[in-house]
Amino acid sequence: MDRMAKTGTTTQGLRAAIERSGYYPALVAEAVEAAVGGEQIGSYLVHQETTFDANEVRRHVTVLVLTGNRFIVSHTDEQAADSSSPTPYATTSTESVKLDRISSVVVSRVVANPEAYTPGTLPREVVLTIGWGAVSRLDLEPAACGDPNCEADHGYTGSSTADDLSLRVSEAGDGPDTVRQTLAFAQALSEATAATATPSGATR
């Protein structure tokens, strides 16, 4: 039994989820294990996605892990042979983010027939967007005043949105279990970031 499997049921579940994805499980698991180290895993999400790039079919997998102190994201994708490599290859990257750095956790739900919605019904689609300041999107548009006849230049107005990671899952494409796991991970991450935001000296 390897070190990853020894740390507890949640870690065993993560390894099993990585193996079920069937996407270079030894490579993905090793990268995640190295990033997690000896910390206990509180929640995780494994999401594999297939995309079409011109005439090529490409797969990639994203693994999200929540520990007591950190949010870890690992991404692995495959590349066809090119000028830099005569054979196909895979690239794996991991990023470790302290929980107090996470600035936003956005969960968008798409629900069919909202007029007949029953609490607890699984959304048709979920988009999880997490921001921690590494990437920001700036949306600008010309500013205007209240005078419809004014032709003066009022400069620009806009908004900055944290958009470091955006992950979309659907019941049709990924299955209901993945949708549930995405919602559960989002809730766990939201609760963890709220706990780190508790004022110093306050009771958690």
Side-chain angles (χ1 to χ4, degrees):
M1 183 178 293
D2 56 41
R3 182 160 62 94
M4 201 169 180
K6 288 180 181 177
T7 58
T9 303
T10 303
T11 302
Q12 292 174 4
L14 173 58
R15 170 58 72 88
I18 291 173
E19 291 179 349
R20 279 197 305 272
S21 76
Y23 185 88
Y24 309 123
L27 174 65
V28 174
E30 182 180 53
V32 173
E33 176 183 0
V36 172
E39 289 192 69
Q40 284 289 112
I41 295 175
S43 185
Y44 64 85
L45 175 65
V46 178
H47 179 244
Q48 182 184 322
E49 186 176 6
T50 301
T51 58
F52 299 91
D53 184 8
N55 295 324
E56 296 180 356
V57 177
R58 294 177 55 186
R59 301 176 302 158
H60 53 96
V61 66
T62 301
V63 180
L64 308 181
V65 179
L66 177 64
T67 73
N69 301 301
R70 297 180 296 151
F71 164 67
I72 297 166
V73 53
S74 176
H75 185 79
T76 303
D77 64 352
E78 58 188 5
Q79 307 285 343
D82 55 27
S83 59
S84 67
S85 175
T87 59
Y89 60 97
T91 303
T92 300
S93 62
T94 57
E95 182 170 2
S96 175
V97 183
K98 289 185 177 181
L99 290 178
D100 59 8
R101 282 185 53 201
I102 294 179
S103 56
S104 64
V105 179
V106 182
V107 181
S108 300
R109 307 171 187 234
V110 178
V111 178
N113 302 315
E115 71 282 355
Y117 177 76
T118 301
T121 301
L122 202 63
R124 184 177 67 188
E125 180 180 310
V126 172
V127 179
L128 173 61
T129 304
I130 304 168
W132 58 90
V135 178
S136 294
R137 184 178 69 249
L138 188 63
D139 297 319
L140 295 175
E141 61 181 18
C145 65
D147 183 357
N149 299 315
C150 179
E151 297 181 356
D153 184 357
H154 296 283
Y156 289 86
T157 184
S159 60
S160 177
T161 306
D163 193 11
D164 295 295
L165 173 71
S166 186
L167 189 148
R168 173 185 172 273
V169 299
S170 67
E171 186 175 15
D174 303 289
D177 286 344
T178 302
V179 175
R180 290 190 189 93
Q181 289 164 9
T182 301
L183 291 172
F185 183 86
Q187 181 174 347
L189 182 59
S190 294
E191 291 173 351
T193 55
T196 62
T198 303
S200 178
T203 301
R204 294 188 176 184

